[in-house]
């Protein structure tokens, strides 16, 4: 699919979400719609027509930071597992062609060969790497499902927790939102520091 068409679909999706934002909020807030909301969040993770950080923030606003974050975490983890399975067993060749068109995955590819679990977890933390590309890569590369899903589930927690918190509290508590953002950055720095410490030293450094 041409890039301009993808961009048009993306902008159209965002525009529709903005126009019907009150209807969406009303629908999400109704009793008995929690399961349907999780299914909708899963579909949006599989076919991201709007930025998923906005989806997380919306769920935090409607359901509260904890419940909204948990729902999006479950939805994105299920979506990742579904895409991994589809790519690994149904569409491996199409996935390889897609991955070749994503320059941001060049260094990720080399890192996965050395540290598959840590690389997937790190990719979940980095906003510059498309998450659908990570799912497709893991499936096409034949990574073990157990390692992939565990790294995915753990790696998604800091980002989802942050944006769900921002959605639930940013307007009323801007100071707390700033603290949450600082904690997210600290979590990123700590994670990469641990990875750096865990790397084997070269002979010249030993």
């Amino acid at each position: 699919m041409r890039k301009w068409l993808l961009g048009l679909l993306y902008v159209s999706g965002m525009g529709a979400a903005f126009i019907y934002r009150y209807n969406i909020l009303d629908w999400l807030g109704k009793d008995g719609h929690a399961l349907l909301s999780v299914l909708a969040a899963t579909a949006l993770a599989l076919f991201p027509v709007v930025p998923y950080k906005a989806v997380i923030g919306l769920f935090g606003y409607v359901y509260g930071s904890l419940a909204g974050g948990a729902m999006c975490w479950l939805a994105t983890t299920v979506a990742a597992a579904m895409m991994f399975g589809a790519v690994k067993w149904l569409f491996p060749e199409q996935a390889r062609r897609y991955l070749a068109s994503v320059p941001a995955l060049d260094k990720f590819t080399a890192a996965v060969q050395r540290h598959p679990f840590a690389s997937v977890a790190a990719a979940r933390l980095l906003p510059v790497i498309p998450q659908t590309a990570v799912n497709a890569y893991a499936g096409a590369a034949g990574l073990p499902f157990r390692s992939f899903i565990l790294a995915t589930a753990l790696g998604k927690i800091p980002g989802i927790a942050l944006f769900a918190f921002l959605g639930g509290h940013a307007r009323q508590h801007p100071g707390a939102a700033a603290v949450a953002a600082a904690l997210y950055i600290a979590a990123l720095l700590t994670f990469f520091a641990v990875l750096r410490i865990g790397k084997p030293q070269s002979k010249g450094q030993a």
Side-chain angles (χ1 to χ4, degrees), residues 47-115:
F47 308 101
V49 295
V50 295
Y52 207 80
K53 294 179 180 61
V55 175
I56 299 170
L58 176 64
F59 271 64
Y61 178 83
V62 174
Y63 294 104
S65 299
L66 183 59
M71 292 166 74
C72 288
W73 174 84
L74 176 61
T76 54
T77 302
V78 170
M82 292 172 63
M83 188 174 295
F84 175 92
V87 168
K88 185 172 183 177
W89 291 294
L90 298 178
F91 308 106
E93 293 302 324
Q94 294 88 331
R96 291 188 183 95
R97 288 197 294 270
Y98 166 67
L99 295 172
S101 68
V102 184
L105 286 177
D106 291 342
K107 293 183 178 179
F108 177 66
T109 299
V112 166
Q113 295 174 352
R114 299 190 301 271
H115 308 286

Side-chain angles (χ1 to χ4, degrees), residues 16-66:
F18 179 79
I19 293 171
Y20 296 104
R21 61 191 183 279
Y22 297 115
N23 304 75
I24 293 172
L25 287 171
D26 181 64
W27 185 86
L28 289 173
K30 288 183 178 178
D31 293 335
H33 279 189
L35 178 58
L36 292 176
S37 296
V38 173
L39 294 176
T42 304
L44 287 172
L46 287 169
F47 308 101
V49 295
V50 295
Y52 207 80
K53 294 179 180 61
V55 175
I56 299 170
L58 176 64
F59 271 64
Y61 178 83
V62 174
Y63 294 104
S65 299
L66 183 59

